[in-house]
Amino acid sequence: MEKFYKKISYLRFFTRGYEHYFFLLLFLAIFIGFLDAGSIALLYPMISVGFQINTESIPFYGILQYFSDLVPIGSFFVHLGIFFIILTITSLIFQIIYWKVAFILQKELIVQTKKSLFLKIDGNDYKFFVNSKQGDLLNLFNQSPYYIQLIYHILLSAAADFIIIIFIICMLFLVSPGGLILVLIGGGIFYIVTNAISNSISERLGRLQILSGQSENKVINEYITGIKSIKSLNVSHYWGSQYIQALQIYWDKFADFMFIQRIPILVINSLFLIIIGAIVLVLYIYYADDFISIIPIFGTFAVGLLRILPKATAMGNYKMELNNYFPHLVLVHSVLNERKYNLLKNGTQVCTGITSDIILENISFSYDHTKVLFHVSMIIPKGSMTALVGPSGSGKSTIANLLLRLYDPTEGRIIVNRRDLRDYDIHSYRNIVGYVSQDPFIFNGTIRENILFGGDFPETDIVYAAKLAHAHDFIMELPKGYDTLVGDQGITLSGGEKQRIVIARAMIRRPEFLILDEATSALDTISEAAVQKAIDQVAKECTTLVIAHRLTTVRNADKIVVIERGQIIEEGTHEELMERRGKYWAMNN
Ligand code: ADP
């Protein structure tokens, strides 16, 4: 019972704000049930009148006769027939309205869920994305909301069916309580059998589906992103076998499970005929002398059952499917309610620019449990170009991460405009910071869209930024200039071209503080020279931190800071450091 209430609370979570739809649908379903049962009930007097059997024992005969007499033309039978048609058509119209509303509701629920998921995930700290598998996230967005919408589709179908069943059962009870009891006993036995089969399978199937979806997505996602390395290193077979392993989690069991789920549906068709036959036999034995008198009852029951049985079978399937899909709902529910990854506290101060030096004051930092920065203190003077150099793994990118406020230092503080960085509203701070990384992110769109990157800037700004980034000339040589489409991840551009587009993207936002993290390290010498020119140019515009392990790129810096194993070991200009003959000098030789 507790499990049931829990499920209800999960279901309520997604439907908050949509209650009015449910009330409308409930009202429509009741109306449809009433009309359906009414139209089937009309068969009883129709058959009785048609065969002229016991017309006086027909329920509501008097009322029907009274209304029929009001119509001057046509016989009683014709009136009943027309009434039957009117009821059936009205029910059809209401069923159409019901499903129109139901699908609008489903659409609302899926869109709302996806929107909330995006907002929730986007609100997470950077750390969440570093720690999450891409495949899981794709699965969360693509599969789970779809199944949630299906859950409500099933519930709405089940509710409509259930209400019709109840109305028809009540109607059959009025027609013949004995006949109904007979039907209910048969139905009960059938329900118990199918329920036993389905219950155990469906939940297991649902959990497996999520697991397999996650692993399938993970493998395919990694395969597509890494396709260049995979093809060139000839390791497709490894990814093939990973994919096959992921497929086995669910699809190996698929055939068996689906087969077992199918059996009740196969049985039901034959069952219906068996039930009809059995009822005829029982009735014949019971009413041997007066068999003709039960034809109206029999006819009404046959049509009533014909309407009920597919719905009753569907109920069993609905239950299996619900169990199947419910884990998706639980997963999305838990993601939407998770607070774990909102560790960065947002400040209230609005950052509008850089007015003084940026100071790292005694900073230490750990990723989870590994300490990577130890009491780092450094100054990035306003308006100058500071370079941070050191071997790979020494903590340079970590400092960039802290300056971007993707993480907060474990100890110490970063001071911007004489204030702790944590006092600022993160978004206002990031608005004045530009960032260019080693692997430029280019999406499938035009060069213009890649420079704008969601921002709204005039054409003159685009050209200004591209010129500053030394990108304008090569862009103009492309067939469609700024409107040239670049492929997925910019595969039609060279590394240096991509990098300069990303620099233009940073510069169009006129950042006051620019961080270039190994912006040239993945490039060949020619591209590097072009990007270096771009960097030297843009560095004049703002306070700049250049991170590099190739020393040629930092000679022009106003100040060079050397870091090793998470500690600052030297700082000065190129000339000063060379003279000192310390680590920097050694790195240059
Ligand atoms: P650099 O930029 O100088 O090459 P990083 O700042 O990237 O160095 O890395 C410093 C250390 O932190 C390395 O030992 C690296 O393995 C570790 N590290 C970097 N990112 C993470 C992370 N997300 N989780 C755990 N450890 C990390």
Side-chain angles (χ1 to χ4, degrees):
M1 205 59 188
E2 199 182 315
K3 218 172 149 189
F4 175 76
Y5 281 123
K6 198 153 188 189
K7 280 193 173 176
I8 295 286
S9 79
Y10 282 135
L11 287 169
R12 292 255 314 119
F13 175 80
F14 289 92
T15 57
R16 273 183 303 205
Y18 295 104
E19 288 81 1
H20 52 293
Y21 277 91
F22 286 95
F23 284 120
L24 176 61
L25 288 169
L26 182 68
F27 168 76
L28 287 169
I30 291 174
F31 207 59
I32 294 165
F34 181 73
L35 291 171
D36 263 24
S39 65
I40 297 170
L42 270 183
L43 292 173
Y44 188 96
M46 281 172 75
I47 299 170
S48 304
V49 173
F51 287 87
Q52 290 164 355
I53 312 159
N54 296 339
T55 37
E56 62 286 352
S57 70
I58 299 170
F60 307 114
Y61 182 78
I63 302 174
L64 291 169
Q65 185 79 61
Y66 172 76
F67 281 109
S68 174
D69 288 346
L70 294 179
V71 184
I73 46 164
S75 65
F76 185 35
F77 185 81
V78 170
H79 294 163
L80 287 176
I82 291 173
F83 192 32
F84 175 83
I85 292 170
I86 291 174
L87 280 189
T88 312
I89 291 176
T90 319
S91 160
L92 175 67
I93 292 170
F94 276 95
Q95 285 179 54
I96 291 171
I97 298 174
Y98 181 89
W99 283 110
K100 176 79 187 169
V101 176
F103 284 124
I104 292 175
L105 172 63
Q106 278 169 242
K107 180 219 76 175
E108 290 284 332
L109 290 178
I110 195 168
V111 171
Q112 185 53 40
T113 307
K114 287 191 177 218
K115 271 193 214 160
S116 318
L117 269 177
F118 187 84
L119 287 177
K120 177 73 192 179
I121 298 293
D122 188 49
N124 280 332
D125 294 347
Y126 174 70
K127 190 173 176 181
F128 169 84
F129 297 92
V130 175
N131 293 350
S132 300
K133 288 187 202 143
Q134 278 186 25
D136 289 1
L137 287 179
L138 284 179
N139 200 38
L140 183 70
F141 279 99
N142 292 337
Q143 277 204 15
S144 296
Y146 174 74
Y147 285 114
I148 291 178
Q149 165 270 131
L150 266 189
I151 288 178
Y152 289 97
H153 175 76
I154 292 167
L155 288 174
L156 292 172
S157 310
D161 286 357
F162 183 72
I163 291 172
I164 292 177
I165 291 175
I166 294 292
F167 269 95
I168 293 178
I169 285 181
C170 292
M171 182 274 292
L172 292 179
F173 180 78
L174 286 177
V175 171
S176 163
L180 182 67
I181 290 169
L182 211 72
V183 169
L184 289 183
I185 293 173
I189 295 171
F190 180 73
Y191 175 78
I192 291 165
V193 174
T194 49
N195 202 30
I197 304 174
S198 67
N199 251 359
S200 64
I201 307 169
S202 40
E203 248 187 273
R204 260 175 71 202
L205 199 65
R207 277 196 297 271
L208 278 182
Q209 212 171 21
I210 289 193
L211 267 182
S212 84
Q214 286 174 344
S215 14
E216 280 177 41
N217 269 340
K218 172 180 174 290
V219 177
I220 286 297
N221 194 38
E222 287 171 357
Y223 171 78
I224 293 169
T225 0
I227 191 69
K228 199 168 177 185
S229 315
I230 291 170
K231 287 283 173 210
S232 50
L233 293 176
N234 233 351
V235 286
S236 293
H237 56 90
Y238 170 76
W239 293 92
S241 64
Q242 291 280 309
Y243 189 55
I244 290 165
Q245 263 182 32
L247 289 179
Q248 278 162 355
I249 298 177
Y250 174 72
W251 297 105
D252 266 12
K253 313 211 170 47
F254 175 82
D256 288 348
F257 283 167
M258 290 318 259
F259 174 66
I260 297 171
Q261 291 202 1
R262 195 75 204 162
I263 290 175
I265 303 170
L266 296 175
V267 171
I268 197 73
N269 293 328
S270 324
L271 197 80
F272 177 66
L273 294 175
I274 295 167
I275 288 182
I276 301 266
I279 292 176
V280 174
L281 281 179
V282 172
L283 290 178
Y284 186 73
I285 296 163
Y286 201 65
Y287 292 98
D289 304 336
D290 193 16
F291 190 62
I292 190 126
S293 70
I294 54 152
I295 286 180
I297 299 181
F298 181 69
T300 319
F301 261 74
V303 176
L305 287 183
L306 201 64
R307 188 102 174 94
I308 285 181
L309 269 180
K311 297 191 184 305
T313 336
M315 289 288 173
N317 280 323
Y318 290 154
K319 194 161 174 239
M320 280 191 270
E321 287 177 69
L322 279 182
N323 283 340
N324 235 329
Y325 304 150
F326 217 80
H328 286 279
L329 191 130
V330 176
L331 176 74
V332 174
H333 181 272
S334 71
V335 169
L336 288 178
N337 287 292
E338 186 135 31
R339 297 229 62 86
K340 208 161 116 198
Y341 282 99
N342 286 104
L343 302 176
L344 291 185
K345 234 179 79 220
N346 204 10
T348 51
Q349 297 293 321
V350 176
C351 188
T352 51
I354 300 287
T355 54
S356 60
D357 300 349
I358 296 166
I359 303 166
L360 280 78
E361 197 178 78
N362 204 20
I363 299 274
S364 296
F365 181 73
S366 309
Y367 286 110
D368 299 320
H369 303 295
T370 0
K371 198 163 178 180
V372 294
L373 293 181
F374 304 84
H375 306 286
V376 168
S377 292
M378 67 183 264
I379 297 175
I380 303 166
K382 176 179 176 322
S384 72
M385 180 185 191
T386 305
L388 183 61
V389 301
S392 189
S394 54
K396 304 182 296 292
S397 295
T398 305
I399 290 182
N401 288 343
L402 295 176
L403 284 167
L404 286 165
R405 225 188 144 202
L406 297 176
Y407 300 87
D408 277 337
T410 349
E411 272 174 65
R413 52 187 193 146
I414 295 174
I415 298 169
V416 175
N417 303 341
R418 301 194 178 85
R419 261 184 193 283
D420 192 321
L421 182 53
R422 283 170 286 212
D423 293 344
Y424 287 109
D425 169 68
I426 297 181
H427 298 290
S428 76
Y429 170 69
R430 288 200 190 130
N431 275 343
I432 61 131
V433 180
Y435 173 69
V436 178
S437 74
Q438 176 175 354
D439 45 348
F441 169 65
I442 299 280
F443 62 88
N444 196 340
T446 62
I447 292 200
R448 181 192 312 282
E449 285 164 344
N450 267 288
I451 294 177
L452 286 172
F453 209 54
D456 185 16
F457 301 98
E459 189 67 18
T460 44
D461 281 17
I462 299 176
V463 176
Y464 153 83
K467 280 189 174 159
L468 213 56
H470 284 253
H472 180 73
D473 291 346
F474 88 77
I475 294 171
M476 292 315 285
E477 278 167 24
L478 293 170
K480 289 188 177 164
Y482 284 91
D483 292 315
T484 310
L485 275 168
V486 293
D488 276 333
Q489 291 163 41
I491 37 182
T492 54
L493 298 171
S494 79
E497 289 167 346
K498 281 192 253 182
Q499 199 60 284
R500 281 178 281 162
I501 287 178
V502 175
I503 293 176
R505 177 190 296 163
M507 293 318 291
I508 202 170
R509 288 163 169 79
R510 298 183 197 256
E512 303 233 345
F513 177 33
L514 180 64
I515 302 171
L516 298 146
D517 189 356
E518 305 270 16
T520 61
S521 63
L523 305 178
D524 56 79
T525 13
I526 297 173
S527 296
E528 184 185 358
V531 175
Q532 189 60 47
K533 263 197 211 154
I535 292 176
D536 290 341
Q537 178 106 28
V538 295
K540 291 181 196 139
E541 305 285 317
C542 44
T543 308
T544 312
L545 177 70
V546 180
I547 292 175
H549 67 262
R550 270 202 226 167
L551 302 175
T552 43
T553 53
V554 300
R555 272 194 195 153
N556 304 336
D558 300 302
K559 178 164 97 165
I560 298 168
V561 179
V562 185
I563 183 169
E564 194 179 54
R565 291 202 198 98
Q567 283 172 308
I568 305 287
I569 51 169
E570 279 177 337
E571 61 176 83
T573 60
H574 172 72
E575 289 70 28
E576 285 165 6
L577 291 171
M578 288 306 279
E579 250 172 54
R580 195 178 295 169
R581 298 194 149 237
K583 191 80 190 178
Y584 181 80
W585 173 82
M587 284 159 76
N588 271 282
N589 286 289

